[in-house]
Amino acid sequence: MDKAERILLVFCRLLKHEWLNKTSLALEFNTTERTIERDMQSIRAVLSEARSPAVLLWDRQKGSYILSHYQHRPLQSMEALTILKILLGSRALRLDEMEGLVQALCGLLSPRDETEFSQLLEEELDGYHEPAHHQAIIKTQWDLQQCIRDHRKIRLHYSRGDDMRTSHVVFPLSVVVSDGYFYLIAVVEGTAHTGPAFFRLDRIRSFDVIHGGSHLPEEDAFSLRRLRSTTPFMFGGKPVRLTLRCKNSAVEALFDKIPAHTVLSWEEDTVLVEVTVSISGFFRWLLMQGDAIVIIGPEPLRQAFIQTLQRIQNAYTDIKEDCPK
């Protein structure tokens, strides 16, 4: 009996949920225990390659192997509804793509729950408004993810918000979702810009894989966890440290938006907080907070935000002057 036949017979017995003793197998197949161990490693490799939920376990006390079958329970209706709310609330996908995802979600339910969920689904989808860009996203993000996995450098053909077409050679690092948009986080080759750049997927017209391109240098090693905690806004730029005074009513919003914060002091109605952010994205978010969050320092950045407020005031003043009486 050759190796392939032996492994196949062993695997068939494992599928029957038999305990297989290593010493007994070695005697049965007239081979060594070391050979049986190698056979079991081959079976583990096949299970891993096939992404099987089953796991080949070794019991030291029994000196035996057994195949553990993990039974996946059906998704419950309340869990599916929660996922549905998150998906629809993101408004990050075109209607046809969203419908496809939701139908796949239905397939994970038990037949009884699927009937109930289908009624809820129709009501939820009825009020869905797809993003204004009307671009397909799912295939693009998957293709980019393959480039990230394989450490491929790519040439990105991009259309900015002002419709200006640009081209960049980038090292793709990650694809994330923020504020209703998918973003590619990447390091742009040949630029003095520090830190990663952010590209909206709906504005990527196409990209080409650059074969044989160099990999991202080790000193530029990317940590998505660190980036998410220090760069909650999808804008590039050098991170800067700010001290903020925040009213109690806005503390939760600030802490949720910028998890990597440091509380300097708590007062009766306010809290002093230190954060590290990219300025352009942070200023846009800060405008939504009114007077609930105020920049205390450093002074040059406080003045920069005051100038932003003055430009906004001037824009509204100009409109008032242009209005017909």
Side-chain angles (χ1 to χ4, degrees):
M1 180 182 297
D2 62 20
K3 176 182 177 180
E5 290 177 319
R6 183 178 66 246
I7 291 177
L8 183 58
L9 285 173
V10 169
F11 188 55
C12 288
R13 289 165 65 178
L14 287 169
L15 289 175
K16 296 177 182 178
H17 208 59
E18 293 182 22
W19 282 95
L20 299 182
N21 182 270
K22 180 170 64 173
T23 303
S24 298
L25 286 176
L27 292 172
E28 179 182 346
F29 292 111
N30 192 27
T31 186
T32 65
E33 292 188 11
R34 181 59 183 156
T35 297
I36 297 299
E37 290 175 2
R38 286 195 291 266
D39 289 349
M40 294 302 182
Q41 287 298 330
S42 298
I43 292 174
R44 284 196 178 99
V46 171
L47 292 172
S48 176
E49 183 69 22
R51 297 184 179 180
S52 170
V55 178
L56 182 59
L57 302 178
W58 163 252
D59 189 304
R60 184 183 298 273
Q61 290 183 340
K62 293 183 178 180
S64 300
Y65 297 92
I66 191 169
L67 193 64
S68 175
H69 295 272
Y70 288 95
Q71 299 295 328
H72 291 287
R73 64 170 176 82
L75 193 67
Q76 296 181 17
S77 293
M78 61 181 179
E79 296 169 328
L81 183 60
T82 302
I83 296 172
L84 176 65
K85 295 283 189 182
I86 294 172
L87 283 173
L88 297 181
S90 72
R91 292 192 57 235
L93 295 174
R94 207 167 62 183
L95 179 59
D96 59 327
E97 292 192 315
M98 185 64 76
E99 288 176 335
L101 277 183
V102 172
Q103 290 301 325
L105 187 64
C106 285
L108 300 176
L109 295 165
S110 67
R112 180 177 61 83
D113 286 345
E114 185 175 355
T115 301
E116 178 185 1
F117 185 73
S118 296
Q119 298 173 351
L120 294 171
L121 175 60
E122 187 174 346
E123 297 174 3
E124 293 288 340
L125 276 176
D126 184 55
Y128 181 71
H129 296 282
E130 65 181 17
H133 58 69
H134 305 301
Q135 298 296 317
I137 294 295
I138 292 178
K139 180 66 165 58
T140 300
Q141 68 91 18
W142 177 254
D143 290 343
L144 287 169
Q145 200 64 52
Q146 307 313 299
C147 294
I148 294 167
R149 181 198 63 190
D150 298 335
H151 306 288
R152 296 290 190 185
K153 185 166 64 173
I154 63 175
R155 184 179 301 278
L156 204 64
H157 305 287
Y158 192 73
S159 180
R160 301 189 330 190
D162 57 5
D163 288 333
M164 181 177 178
R165 301 293 179 94
T166 60
S167 180
H168 310 273
V169 174
V170 305
F171 296 94
L173 302 175
S174 183
V175 175
V176 300
V177 182
S178 178
D179 297 328
Y181 297 105
F182 281 76
Y183 289 87
L184 171 67
I185 304 175
V187 170
V188 180
E189 186 178 65
T191 177
H193 175 70
T194 58
F198 303 87
F199 300 92
R200 270 177 44 178
L201 262 64
D202 58 282
R203 293 177 178 172
I204 296 176
R205 299 309 168 201
S206 63
F207 67 88
D208 308 306
V209 176
I210 300 176
H211 296 283
S214 58
H215 296 303
L216 187 67
E218 287 295 328
E219 58 268 22
D220 293 326
F222 174 70
S223 169
L224 180 59
R225 180 178 180 181
R226 183 174 67 247
L227 181 74
R228 281 177 168 165
S229 63
T230 59
T231 314
F233 311 98
M234 296 294 106
F235 289 85
K238 183 178 180 180
V240 297
R241 186 172 297 176
L242 298 174
T243 302
L244 310 174
R245 185 176 68 235
C246 178
K247 292 183 178 179
N248 289 341
S249 59
V251 165
E252 190 175 275
L254 175 62
F255 288 4
D256 285 344
K257 190 64 178 177
I258 310 176
H261 58 266
T262 302
V263 175
L264 301 178
S265 66
W266 286 91
E267 300 175 10
E268 184 177 354
D269 299 320
T270 61
V271 57
L272 284 182
V273 182
E274 188 175 79
V275 298
T276 301
V277 294
S278 59
I279 283 298
S280 56
F282 178 73
F283 276 8
R284 295 189 182 203
W285 178 80
L286 188 59
L287 287 170
M288 296 188 295
Q289 309 309 315
D291 63 349
I293 302 176
V294 177
I295 298 175
I296 301 300
E299 184 61 22
L301 295 176
R302 194 176 77 88
Q303 290 298 325
F305 188 67
I306 291 174
Q307 292 173 10
T308 298
L309 295 174
Q310 289 173 342
R311 286 194 296 271
I312 294 173
Q313 182 181 22
N314 292 339
Y316 277 89
T317 301
D318 293 342
I319 291 176
K320 183 178 180 180
E321 292 175 352
D322 293 340
C323 286
K325 297 181 180 179

